Amino acid sequence: MLERQVPATGLGAFRIGYGLVALQEILFLTHFRPLIFDEIPYLDQGPPMIAFFLPLWALAALGLILGWHTRLCAAVNYVFWVLFTAFTPLWRDFDGGFDQMMISSGLLLIFLPSERALSLDRLRLALRYSVPGHRYELPRTVPVWAYYAPLLITLAPLYFDSAIHKLFSEHWRNGLGPWLPSSHPYYISPLDLSWLLNIEWLQKAIGYTVIGFQFVFPFLFWHPRFRVPLLVLGVLFHGGITISFNIYPFGLGMLVHYFLMVPFSWWRRLGEWIRLPKPRLKVYYDGLCPLCLRTVIVVEHFDIRRAVRFLDLQTHAAAEPALAGVNEDQLLTDLYAVDAQGRRYQGVDTYIQILEALGYTRPLGWLLRLPGIYPLARRLYRHIADSRRRCDAACLAPPDLEPGPLAQAWRDFLGSPRKKAARLAKALVFLGLLQLNSTVHYGLLHRLGWEGILGPAAPVSNLLLSFSHAFFGITPHALYLADHFKGYETIFALTWLDAQGKEHWLPFVNREGRIVTPNWGRVHSMWANVAVTPRLSAYRLEKFATKVIAFYGTRLGLDLERTRFRLKAKSIRMPAQWEKGLREWNLRQPWHDAGELVWEHGRGRLELWEPLQVRIAYSPPRNP
């Protein structure tokens, strides 16, 4: 796997997709910063450094997307993801459900050569190390192991661990794993999929296929024969999660990993389809001019369709009919171009032709043609062209490509290919043991009630899980199981009354009971998985209702202490057996007034009304 070379395109696409998911999550955290990080939004503010760190994290994610100083940006992204999930309310109250997956793959991106495709690092390094006569390019291939690593270390254990947990959940054993959360108002997107949910045999087929898929994926994803079927199923499953649930970051985070499952031949065919049969433009440049070489490198980097072909004047000018009659001194003073019809261009006109030939930069070419801009562009071009220098013997010397001290130390540590493979195998064994600790302890012994057999080893197992959870993304994947939905029969919403006594719904949970955009992902998790659960807690309900009201009340310009905020409740059903029309039934149920949240001295206090009080137990926090 370390020796077999394959195209780097899929790995570059995975890096870009990962960076986009990370960036949207950082923007989400920025938008909801007071709600997530303040004790009471806008009133009891959280650490001020959060506002400083989020832009830095966003820059690292942007660097990953662009492939600019890729390994450094990957390291910064990993550090921020670990710090935010371990030392802020994200880990307890706003778990996004995909943080550990992003931590695991983010760690791998530090070491994977994803900058070899679709990156600005290719351009940066080519400009840095190229001289006339010596073009530098990053390799366009990577070891096939670079594709397998995120699948083996991130996706495969996640699927297998999740499948084991599902076997202990009644509605999953009944084939209704996707159906039940799709019928809960808190979990659904605005897309109405009732027609699909009302086909019992199809819902059970989907449910059982998901479990089977998760069990076999770790053992078959590497085999070429199963790559396309697993790719199709994975994209369908996670695409369905993305559009049908309001936990789209999880769905998108999983989907981007499937760039690594795309057959290598597909990437080759995509490249052949994008490229033109022959160049639209031939450009002749001075082969001894460093500035001209830099121009060639920049244009070729962004010329994804191979529309422009660059040729050095010294070698190819004599064979070009369109350049006949132009002496050598004249050729060396300008950049010349010849189009498919044999028309000749020079100077600024050559740059205009290049921009138009690339296709997507054509508007820039049109801009240069404008009457007020064209003369200025000609003057600027003339100044630069006349002041450029040509290479001497020192300039033509090959660049020094010796690695820096850190890179050399890393290479020395890895050693020969055999030693590198041995060290990698040891790392995999280490990660495998950490994963077994999680899966065996919480996927089997905990579910079977046999934790007692661990005896004194139980604290050690928990300590290892905390370590692997924080730094490697290894964690129990017990998501949307029976212990989450069984007894989940009451949901809540928040409203406020204006001076005339008219009731308005906060832009959080709507009249149907759906959590509305943009309160998805982490905010959904806070309300649907922590504040409101089958085991209702007055403390948790009061805490998070206070946060939501303070956040949206302040944004709506309400005087919190003079406004009446009402807690609404309605009953729903979450059966483990299939029922036709359950989604519509849950959405249609009427709301009842359940209490009020009263503001006094900058604090919210929840006053519950009968008969709801008897159904909510007061459980004080463990760490007041």
Side-chain angles (χ1 to χ4, degrees):
M1 290 185 181
L2 292 173
E3 292 177 350
R4 180 189 168 199
Q5 296 293 310
V6 295
T9 312
L11 187 62
F14 165 66
R15 185 202 73 241
I16 293 172
Y18 177 97
L20 287 170
V21 173
L23 182 60
Q24 71 81 29
E25 191 65 17
I26 298 163
L27 295 176
F28 182 93
L29 293 176
T30 302
H31 177 78
F32 284 104
R33 181 170 59 84
L35 177 63
I36 295 174
F37 299 106
D38 290 355
E39 187 67 25
I40 300 179
Y42 301 111
L43 301 178
D44 189 355
Q45 297 186 2
M49 291 303 290
I50 295 292
F52 174 73
F53 286 140
L54 283 174
L56 294 181
W57 190 4
L59 287 176
L62 184 61
L64 274 176
I65 296 168
L66 299 176
W68 182 259
H69 292 281
T70 307
R71 306 293 184 97
L72 175 61
C73 289
V76 173
N77 169 76
Y78 170 76
V79 169
F80 274 128
W81 214 295
V82 169
L83 290 177
F84 269 81
T85 54
F87 299 105
T88 73
L90 296 188
W91 75 273
R92 181 185 59 192
D93 298 335
F94 294 88
D95 182 4
F98 76 128
D99 290 318
Q100 281 59 55
M101 172 188 65
M102 298 296 283
I103 286 173
S104 176
S105 292
L107 175 62
L108 292 173
L109 278 172
I110 301 174
F111 304 100
L112 298 177
S114 63
E115 72 280 0
R116 294 187 181 181
L118 308 176
S119 76
L120 290 180
D121 277 341
R122 292 192 63 86
L123 175 61
R124 178 178 64 87
L125 296 173
L127 291 174
R128 180 176 180 180
Y129 293 117
S130 295
V131 297
H134 298 278
R135 288 280 298 272
Y136 174 82
E137 281 194 0
L138 278 173
R140 295 185 180 274
T141 60
V142 296
V144 71
W145 165 250
Y147 280 81
Y148 290 153
L151 300 173
L152 178 63
I153 295 174
T154 301
L155 246 60
L158 186 156
Y159 282 147
F160 195 76
D161 184 87
S162 178
I164 290 177
H165 282 280
K166 286 178 172 61
L167 295 181
F168 293 90
S169 175
E170 182 181 2
H171 71 276
W172 274 101
R173 292 197 305 270
N174 293 337
L176 302 177
W179 172 82
L180 192 60
S182 298
S183 303
H184 193 300
Y186 276 172
Y187 291 85
I188 57 178
S189 74
L191 185 64
D192 187 355
L193 296 176
S194 302
W195 61 272
L196 188 64
L197 299 176
N198 289 334
I199 304 175
E200 180 180 4
W201 68 266
L202 182 57
Q203 288 302 308
K204 291 185 176 181
I206 293 172
Y208 289 129
T209 302
V210 168
I211 296 177
F213 171 84
Q214 292 187 328
F215 268 122
V216 304
F217 183 91
F219 307 102
L220 300 179
F221 75 86
W222 56 271
H223 198 289
R225 182 176 300 174
F226 298 101
R227 180 177 292 269
V228 173
L230 292 177
L231 167 65
V232 172
L233 286 175
V235 169
L236 288 175
F237 290 154
H238 296 296
I241 289 173
T242 303
I243 65 174
S244 62
F245 294 148
N246 53 23
I247 54 169
Y248 68 91
F250 174 80
L252 292 175
M254 297 294 286
L255 273 175
V256 299
H257 286 75
Y258 281 86
F259 282 119
L260 303 171
M261 291 288 289
V262 175
F264 305 122
S265 61
W266 292 15
W267 295 117
R268 296 189 185 97
R269 291 171 187 168
L270 178 62
E272 293 170 358
W273 177 74
I274 290 174
R275 296 189 190 101
L276 296 173
K278 61 180 181 179
R280 293 174 176 172
L281 194 70
K282 291 184 289 185
V283 177
Y284 294 87
Y285 69 99
D286 182 358
L288 295 178
C289 168
L291 179 61
C292 300
L293 177 61
R294 295 172 72 87
T295 300
V296 172
I297 291 172
V298 171
V299 172
E300 287 187 343
H301 180 82
F302 292 104
D303 184 11
I304 58 175
R305 303 190 68 190
R306 300 294 186 266
V308 180
R309 182 185 180 193
F310 285 92
L311 304 164
D312 67 275
L313 286 165
Q314 289 83 351
T315 306
H316 300 93
E320 176 55 63
L323 298 180
V326 183
N327 62 48
E328 184 176 352
D329 290 338
Q330 286 180 296
L331 289 174
L332 294 176
T333 60
D334 271 322
L335 198 65
Y336 284 82
V338 179
D339 63 17
Q341 288 73 39
R343 293 186 292 257
R344 187 179 73 200
Y345 307 88
Q346 67 185 85
V348 171
D349 293 320
T350 293
Y351 281 95
I352 293 174
Q353 292 300 314
I354 289 173
L355 291 171
E356 293 184 354
L358 295 185
Y360 65 94
T361 57
R362 186 172 287 117
L364 296 177
W366 298 338
L367 184 65
L368 283 179
R369 292 182 184 275
L370 294 178
I373 297 178
Y374 184 76
L376 293 176
R378 288 191 64 179
R379 291 180 60 184
L380 179 62
Y381 169 81
R382 191 75 269 152
H383 172 74
I384 295 174
D386 292 343
S387 60
R388 66 186 173 88
R389 69 182 181 89
R390 302 186 75 209
C391 264
D392 53 20
C395 174
L396 294 172
D400 181 14
L401 298 178
E402 289 298 320
L406 290 177
Q408 187 58 50
W410 177 248
R411 292 184 184 182
D412 293 341
F413 168 76
L414 293 178
S416 66
R418 186 176 182 84
K419 288 184 178 179
K420 185 187 299 185
R423 287 188 168 92
L424 180 59
K426 292 176 182 177
L428 289 175
V429 170
F430 173 70
L431 293 174
L433 291 174
L434 291 178
Q435 180 63 55
L436 278 176
N437 171 66
S438 173
T439 300
V440 173
H441 186 164
Y442 289 95
L444 291 176
L445 300 183
H446 172 74
R447 293 286 174 185
L448 293 170
W450 295 351
E451 284 182 288
I453 66 174
L454 292 174
V460 177
S461 174
N462 286 325
L463 183 63
L464 285 175
L465 182 63
S466 297
F467 170 76
S468 61
H469 175 94
F471 295 102
F472 299 112
I474 297 173
T475 191
H477 294 281
L479 302 175
Y480 293 178
L481 304 183
D483 50 7
H484 181 76
F485 288 110
K486 187 176 182 179
Y488 205 146
E489 297 174 348
T490 305
I491 62 174
F492 298 91
L494 297 164
T495 63
W496 61 280
L497 305 179
D498 61 21
Q500 290 73 40
K502 183 179 179 181
E503 189 174 38
H504 305 269
W505 293 70
L506 284 179
F508 186 64
V509 176
N510 69 6
R511 296 176 184 272
E512 289 183 314
R514 290 190 299 103
I515 298 177
V516 298
T517 182
N519 306 286
W520 294 354
R522 296 183 187 279
V523 176
H524 152 87
S525 181
M526 171 272 293
W527 189 254
N529 300 340
V530 182
V532 184
T533 67
R535 291 165 292 280
L536 291 170
S537 161
Y539 167 77
R540 292 199 307 269
L541 192 57
E542 178 183 90
K543 173 184 175 180
F544 293 108
T546 299
K547 290 175 74 75
V548 172
I549 288 174
F551 179 76
Y552 277 111
T554 301
R555 292 202 167 193
L556 292 172
L558 303 178
D559 185 335
L560 300 183
E561 299 202 6
R562 293 177 180 271
T563 305
R564 295 179 62 189
F565 295 97
R566 188 160 290 171
L567 181 71
K568 313 285 286 188
K570 78 169 180 175
S571 298
I572 60 171
R573 300 186 65 252
M574 285 283 104
Q577 304 294 330
W578 183 83
E579 293 182 10
K580 185 175 182 178
L582 181 63
R583 179 185 185 276
E584 298 89 338
W585 191 90
N586 283 335
L587 292 176
R588 288 197 309 265
Q589 294 313 294
W591 291 96
H592 304 284
D593 293 336
E596 287 191 342
L597 196 131
V598 181
W599 283 90
E600 296 175 344
H601 310 296
R603 299 282 170 175
R605 175 171 51 83
L606 183 62
E607 295 181 352
L608 293 172
W609 300 343
E610 294 286 355
L612 194 64
Q613 282 179 321
V614 299
R615 294 161 53 193
I616 301 182
Y618 180 81
S619 54
R622 295 182 179 179
N623 298 305

